[in-house]
Amino acid sequence: MKFFIDTANLKDIKEANDLGILDGVTTNPSLMAKEGITGADNILAHYVKICELVDGDVSAEVIATDFEGMVAEGEMLAALHPQIVVKLPMIKDGVKACKYFSNKGIRTNVTLVFSAGQALLAAKAGATYVSPFIGRLDDISTDGMALIEEIRLIYDNYGYETQILAASVRNVMHIINCAKIGSDVITGPLSAIEGLLKHPLTDIGLATFLADFKKGNS
Ligand code: G3P
């Protein structure tokens, strides 16, 4: 399973990358705004900085919501850096734009996916990645993980190559359950990824080992 970090924060991206387990980065306009990155030129420059920091795919989201606008913006984003994946919203023109980019060999990530039907459309349109938002479904008392299971089943039934990129991942259990189901990718904040490290018995065991070593060598 690939690990992407869902942030525009360069420090967090570097920290996850330094751990040696990072496969890519996802961003969105809200995450850019959170880091105070505003204005088209600054946002584009920030995407390039992220690409230079990591080896994997970096999703860059279009702002346009009409087909022509998405095509123009997506082509410009894709030309920025070979690691850029054009992120498109799951709306009618987004599906059309996804098919357009797929025909041109430009990689896409269809975002804001909340149903199996939407994921099926994204696969039909040749999306490289589909991003179902688990956490936001959980927020409205719907089972986000059940959606990942449904999409896995549907994609496997037909051999769709679109990768399931479980997004809006918020915690360790989201990651573990995605791994059990066979999500291709998860994207979440550094806290969720680093949460995988933690177990109290590891800390207690290490403290004991170090204390015993000291006793034997004092
Ligand atoms: O990858 C999608 C993500 O940025 C949304 O996460 O936590 O705002 O629902 P969240």
Side-chain angles (χ1 to χ4, degrees), residues 114 133-150 174 177 181:
F114 293 94
F133 279 29
I134 303 174
R136 291 193 191 183
L137 280 171
D138 290 354
D139 287 345
I140 58 159
S141 304
T142 306
D143 187 356
M145 211 50 68
L147 176 60
I148 304 296
E149 272 177 314
E150 274 188 294
H174 277 156
N177 286 326
I181 293 166

Side-chain angles (χ1 to χ4, degrees), residues 6 26 28 31 87 133 136 167-168 170 187:
D6 194 31
T26 51
N28 61 40
L31 292 171
K87 202 170 180 190
F133 279 29
R136 291 193 191 183
S168 186
R170 308 252 179 87
T187 191

Side-chain angles (χ1 to χ4, degrees), residues 47-48 51 57-60 77-78 80-86 107:
Y47 284 136
V48 174
C51 289
D57 288 350
V58 175
S59 289
L77 289 169
L80 265 186
H81 197 282
Q83 285 165 239
I84 293 281
V85 174
V86 178
R107 290 167 312 135

Side-chain angles (χ1 to χ4, degrees), residues 162-200:
T162 299
Q163 295 179 55
I164 303 172
L165 196 174
S168 186
V169 157
R170 308 252 179 87
N171 55 52
V172 168
M173 285 319 292
H174 277 156
I175 299 177
I176 299 300
N177 286 326
C178 279
K180 285 184 184 170
I181 293 166
S183 184
D184 300 288
V185 192
I186 60 92
T187 191
L190 184 64
S191 58
I193 296 171
E194 287 194 336
L196 294 169
L197 278 168
K198 293 176 191 149
H199 198 288

Side-chain angles (χ1 to χ4, degrees), residues 39-213:
D41 289 349
N42 291 334
I43 290 173
L44 296 182
H46 203 72
Y47 284 136
V48 174
K49 277 186 202 160
I50 295 173
C51 289
E52 285 169 353
L53 214 52
V54 300
D55 272 340
D57 288 350
V58 175
S59 289
E61 188 155 342
V62 300
I63 302 301
T65 53
D66 63 299
F67 175 75
E68 287 77 15
M70 285 190 212
V71 164
E73 215 181 315
E75 283 180 340
M76 186 259 295
L77 289 169
L80 265 186
H81 197 282
Q83 285 165 239
I84 293 281
V85 174
V86 178
K87 202 170 180 190
L88 302 160
M90 172 37 80
I91 55 175
K92 207 170 191 178
D93 281 20
V95 173
K96 285 187 204 169
C98 179
K99 184 66 184 172
Y100 170 89
F101 287 122
S102 158
N103 287 341
K104 289 193 78 175
I106 292 176
R107 290 167 312 135
T108 52
N109 174 359
V110 175
T111 190
L112 290 168
V113 165
F114 293 94
S115 76
Q118 291 177 325
L120 182 54
L121 272 181
K124 289 284 291 173
T128 312
Y129 297 104
V130 66
S131 289
F133 279 29
I134 303 174
R136 291 193 191 183
L137 280 171
D138 290 354
D139 287 345
I140 58 159
S141 304
T142 306
D143 187 356
M145 211 50 68
L147 176 60
I148 304 296
E149 272 177 314
E150 274 188 294
I151 301 172
R152 181 74 284 155
L153 176 68
I154 291 168
Y155 283 11
D156 288 350
N157 279 347
Y158 296 97
Y160 287 126
E161 286 178 11
T162 299
Q163 295 179 55
I164 303 172
L165 196 174
S168 186
V169 157
R170 308 252 179 87
N171 55 52
V172 168
M173 285 319 292
H174 277 156
I175 299 177
I176 299 300
N177 286 326
C178 279
K180 285 184 184 170
I181 293 166
S183 184
D184 300 288
V185 192
I186 60 92
T187 191
L190 184 64
S191 58
I193 296 171
E194 287 194 336
L196 294 169
L197 278 168
K198 293 176 191 149
H199 198 288
L201 292 180
T202 304
D203 298 337
I204 293 166
L206 182 60
T208 308
F209 286 160
L210 295 180
D212 288 344
F213 173 84

